[in-house]
Each structure stands twice: as structure tokens, then as C-alpha cells.
Amino acid sequence: MTEKQQNILTSGLELFASEGYNNISTSKIARHAGVSEGLIFRHFENKEGLLNAILAQGAETAAAYYSTIVLESDPKTAIRKAIELPMSIPREELNYWRLIYRLKWQQFNYGAEMAEPLRSALIIAFQELEYSMPEAEADLVLAYIDGMATTVLLHPERNADQIAASMINKYSL
Amino acid sequence: MTEKQQNILTSGLELFASEGYNNISTSKIARHAGVSEGLIFRHFENKEGLLNAILAQGAETAAAYYSTIVLESDPKTAIRKAIELPMSIPREELNYWRLIYRLKWQQFNYGAEMAEPLRSALIIAFQELEYSMPEAEADLVLAYIDGMATTVLLHPERNADQIAASMINKYSL
DNA sequence: TTAAATTAAGTGAGTACTTACTTTGTTTTT
DNA sequence: AAAAACAAAGTAAGTACTCACTTAATTTAA
């Protein structure tokens, strides 16, 4: 991984996240990265290849997140951690998640299969706590996470901590 | 409003909703609507003008929704109706909402100001029920609605009614 | 009641420009 | 010297949009 190669990845993430995959041309990325346009294709074959490389790099750090919940043995702690997930996104990963959410509403459907292990973990947690509809309860938390992530990424003026506290309050955790 | 003009609006909504504003060219819309490309510009001036006309047409029917909640005097009923909102979208309006959610993650931010009256109504409802943090509680419901709408629009295989039931169960309505 | 005049609806080829991607050649590194 | 990294110019297909023009419908005038 050369320096320019990493520059392309970083610029691509920043631009794709802030303006959208289709609104950003390869020439813009090259200019932003201080690199010739052809280099993008040398390293990543095509525009979608660049996107996949960006997503792969982001997914590595993102996977660490999910794992702390999936590996949590106490069901109450797991649910609490899941609810707090959207606010615990570190600054440097905000762009990655902005990109994921943008792509979800383009033709691709990234991020869907990524959340599957989290869903399983939540179902198990609610089963252990003997909820009558553990799957619906898990999907509710997932819907909340989805909406809350949108709030954090698009409306940073809202008080996310208070909202999450209200949600946690609905469960006896 | 001539027949061809309506054809353009209908085709535009369908294509924009399913593939995104930036992914659909005016020539594609013209072909889909069985119309010459120039006619789009004769009637709607430019591509964004067409988008606005589509949104205006959809907003008329959509406004009826929000109003039943905003005008609801009983706070408990208002909250319940809000929670049930995402599943009560009629079939013929699904494309309109898909388009709204797509646009939210493109450069525009439609839909944000549309939900403002709903937010105010929810805050008042929670105040009347003497919740300690009515604003956070309202934003929580809004985040839920957002995530749940995503579920309904993107993952129709999930059992939305059960999830909503779980949510309603969290409040003593 | 026709005929002429005016407006509106519609066409499709052409505009300048942008797009993703290629090719060719030069520099840097090992 | 060989290979990898990089730059710059180029290409074909597509983009939103325009323009000269035709057709259909409506209004006005004789």
C-alpha cells in the first residue's frame, strides 16, 4: 500500500460520504488526492473497485463494534450496548457510516448482511430474558438503531444521549 | 394536465424511487413514458423541476397522514397513531416515500421540515402525559418511525405489525 | 359558419459538456 | 536494467438541455 494509494482511499471515502457515490467523478477524487486519474484505475481497476476497497477498509474497524455486542454474555448488557451503538461511533468512522447509509438507499444494499450477527445476538438476548416475541423485539431495536444512526449522522443538533436514555428506560436493564 | 404530462410524472416517480434521482436520465424517463425527451423540459423546465412537480403531487396525499396525528386531541391515541404510521402507508404511496428517503441521503434534505409539525405534536402529547423528558421522548418516536419506515420500504419480509406492537407495548397506551 | 389567427402540445436531432475508462509515455524504486 | 508507480492526453458513450419545426386544439373574425 503506497502513500498515494492510501490517499485515493481516504479522498474517496470523504467525497463519497459527503456527496454520494454517483455525484463524485473519478477525476474529482484524483484531484482531491493529488494524483492522476489513471492511477485510480491502475490500483482499483474501476470506480466500483475503489468503492469496495474503501468499504473493506472501513469494515475492518467497524466489525470490532458489533463483536463487543455479539460476544457479550450478559443479555441485559448486550441490549444496552446495542441501544448505545449509534452514539458510540468515533469521529473518524462517521464518514464510513455516512457512506454505508447513503449506499443503502442507492441500488446497492450494503450493510444489511453486516447487521445479521447483531440481530441473532439480540434475539438470543431477548429469549434469555423470556420476552414473548424475541424476534420482533430484536427487530425493534434494529429499527431504533437505524433511525438513531440517521439522527446522529444527519441531525447532530439533537441530543442523542437523552434519546438513548429514554430508550434504555423502556427496558429494565 | 394532459395525459402525456401525467405519464411523465408517473414514470419519473417510479424510476426515481426505484433507482435514484441521479441514476435516472431524462432520456430514460422519456422512453419509459412514451414521450419525446424535449417534452419533459417544455412542461417542467428542467430535471429538478420535474422532481419538484413529482414531490408536490405526492405531498398532497401525504399531508393527510400527518394531519390525523397532529389534530388528534387525545395524547395516547396520537402517540399510538404515530407509532403505527410506517405500516399504514398505502401501496400506491410506497414509491413516494421510497423517493423521499432516497433524497434524504442525497444532497437534498427533503422530508426534514415535513416532520416538524409531527414532532411538535408528539412533544405536546408527552408533556400532557407528564413524561420527564418530552422532547427526547418525541425524538425517540421519530427515530423509531424513521427506522421502521426503512424496514417497511427496504425489508418488506419482516413482520412490521409485530414490531410496532412491541413498541406500543413499551408505553401504557 | 366557415376561414384565418393564435396558442399549446409535441418531436427529434443537435448542443456543449461530463463520465468512466484507456493508452502511451515518463519517472521512480529496487 | 527491470518493474512498478505515476502522469497526461485521449476516447466513446452518456448527460442535461436547446432549438427549429410540426401537429392539434381553441379562439377570433368575416
Side-chain angles (χ1 to χ4, degrees):
Chain A
M1 172 86 63
T2 68
E3 193 190 332
K4 300 210 172 187
Q5 203 170 348
Q6 183 56 52
N7 282 352
I8 295 171
L9 287 170
T10 307
S11 294
L13 173 56
E14 187 180 328
L15 294 174
F16 284 159
S18 62
E19 303 194 37
Y21 178 75
N22 290 284
N23 299 323
I24 292 296
S25 62
T26 48
S27 72
K28 267 187 194 162
I29 296 172
R31 213 177 313 131
H32 190 275
V35 140
S36 73
E37 193 179 354
L39 195 60
I40 294 174
F41 296 91
R42 158 121 308 176
H43 285 309
F44 305 103
E45 194 171 347
N46 53 33
K47 194 185 174 186
E48 202 179 335
L50 168 61
L51 175 63
N52 287 327
I54 289 169
L55 291 174
Q57 191 165 291
E60 286 178 30
T61 51
Y65 264 166
Y66 286 108
S67 68
T68 65
I69 296 169
V70 173
L71 299 175
E72 174 62 54
S73 57
D74 179 48
K76 293 192 177 189
T77 308
I79 294 166
R80 191 173 42 73
K81 279 185 178 175
I83 293 175
E84 284 167 350
L85 207 60
M87 298 127 46
S88 57
I89 303 173
R91 276 191 172 284
E92 70 267 21
E93 283 181 33
L94 281 177
N95 270 342
Y96 169 73
W97 286 106
R98 257 187 272 269
L99 176 57
I100 290 288
Y101 272 79
R102 279 198 123 100
L103 291 174
K104 191 191 339 207
W105 285 101
Q106 309 233 157
Q107 63 242 42
F108 324 95
N109 199 3
Y110 292 110
E113 73 287 348
M114 203 161 48
E116 207 48 52
L118 177 60
R119 190 172 117 98
S120 303
L122 283 171
I123 292 173
I124 291 170
F126 281 114
Q127 278 172 342
E128 289 180 17
L129 295 175
E130 292 181 332
Y131 275 69
S132 62
M133 297 193 299
E135 285 189 22
E137 208 71 45
D139 285 334
L140 167 57
V141 172
L142 287 180
Y144 158 82
I145 289 175
D146 209 79
M148 202 56 206
T150 303
T151 302
V152 169
L153 295 173
L154 245 40
H155 309 289
E157 77 280 2
R158 302 218 175 136
N159 193 328
D161 294 278
Q162 277 190 13
I163 303 174
S166 299
M167 184 65 176
I168 290 174
N169 205 42
K170 304 266 170 303
Y171 301 86
S172 39
L173 303 178
Chain B
M1 175 83 66
T2 67
E3 194 190 331
K4 298 208 172 186
Q5 200 170 350
Q6 183 57 53
N7 282 352
I8 295 171
L9 287 169
T10 307
S11 294
L13 173 56
E14 187 180 327
L15 295 174
F16 285 158
S18 62
E19 303 193 37
Y21 178 76
N22 290 287
N23 299 323
I24 292 295
S25 65
T26 48
S27 72
K28 269 187 195 163
I29 296 172
R31 214 177 310 132
H32 190 274
V35 141
S36 73
E37 194 178 355
L39 194 60
I40 293 174
F41 297 90
R42 158 123 301 166
H43 284 310
F44 305 103
E45 194 173 345
N46 53 34
K47 194 185 173 186
E48 203 179 335
L50 169 60
L51 175 63
N52 287 328
I54 290 169
L55 290 174
Q57 192 164 287
E60 286 178 30
T61 51
Y65 264 166
Y66 286 108
S67 67
T68 64
I69 296 169
V70 173
L71 299 174
E72 174 62 54
S73 56
D74 178 49
K76 293 191 176 186
T77 308
I79 294 166
R80 190 173 41 74
K81 279 185 178 175
I83 292 174
E84 284 167 350
L85 208 60
M87 298 127 48
S88 57
I89 303 173
R91 275 193 174 282
E92 69 268 21
E93 284 181 33
L94 282 176
N95 269 343
Y96 169 74
W97 287 106
R98 257 187 273 267
L99 176 56
I100 290 288
Y101 272 78
R102 281 199 122 101
L103 290 174
K104 186 178 4 194
W105 286 100
Q106 309 232 155
Q107 64 245 38
F108 323 95
N109 199 5
Y110 291 109
E113 73 287 347
M114 202 161 50
E116 207 48 51
L118 177 60
R119 190 172 116 98
S120 303
L122 283 171
I123 291 174
I124 291 170
F126 281 114
Q127 276 172 343
E128 288 180 18
L129 295 176
E130 292 180 332
Y131 274 70
S132 62
M133 297 193 300
E135 286 189 22
E137 208 71 43
D139 285 334
L140 168 57
V141 173
L142 287 179
Y144 158 81
I145 289 175
D146 210 80
M148 202 57 205
T150 304
T151 302
V152 170
L153 295 173
L154 245 41
H155 309 290
E157 77 280 3
R158 301 218 176 135
N159 193 329
D161 293 279
Q162 276 191 14
I163 303 174
S166 299
M167 184 64 177
I168 290 174
N169 206 42
K170 304 266 170 305
Y171 301 87
S172 39
L173 302 179

